[in-house]
Amino acid sequence: NKSDRQFIQVAQRLTRVDVRSVEQIVDVDSDDIYRFPFLYAVSVGEWEITDGQAARLREYFRRGGFLMVDDFHAE
């Protein structure tokens, strides 16, 4: 998505955060989420979080992680 890549370019230019050059899918059920300080979730309108995923996200937030959620209702 073009807007995702533009966001990445701006984050690389304006911050010291080591931003990946392309988006990467991260599975909430995997320990991979702890490798990323910032997660961006899109189209989550039908996302049903399990108890295990909620616990993993709580731990992610406890460790300082940030999750930005955008559902894009307007098309």
Side-chain angles (χ1 to χ4, degrees):
N1 180 319
K2 183 178 178 183
S3 63
D4 294 339
R5 293 209 170 97
Q6 288 175 331
F7 175 77
I8 288 168
Q9 290 172 352
V10 170
Q12 286 173 328
R13 189 174 70 237
L14 299 177
T15 71
R16 295 181 189 201
V17 176
D18 183 19
V19 181
R20 295 177 80 65
S21 59
V22 295
E23 56 278 3
Q24 176 175 336
I25 296 173
V26 178
D27 186 354
V28 175
D29 292 316
S30 166
D31 283 341
D32 282 348
I33 65 169
Y34 303 123
R35 294 180 37 225
F36 300 95
F38 182 95
L39 299 176
Y40 179 55
V42 294
S43 300
V44 297
E46 297 183 24
W47 188 14
E48 294 183 24
I49 299 173
T50 66
D51 290 342
Q53 290 171 332
R56 187 173 292 276
L57 284 170
R58 275 192 299 274
E59 177 62 16
Y60 173 75
F61 297 138
R62 189 189 70 73
R63 295 182 185 192
F66 182 84
L67 171 63
M68 180 174 156
V69 177
D70 196 336
D71 194 27
F72 294 109
H73 284 274
E75 292 192 28

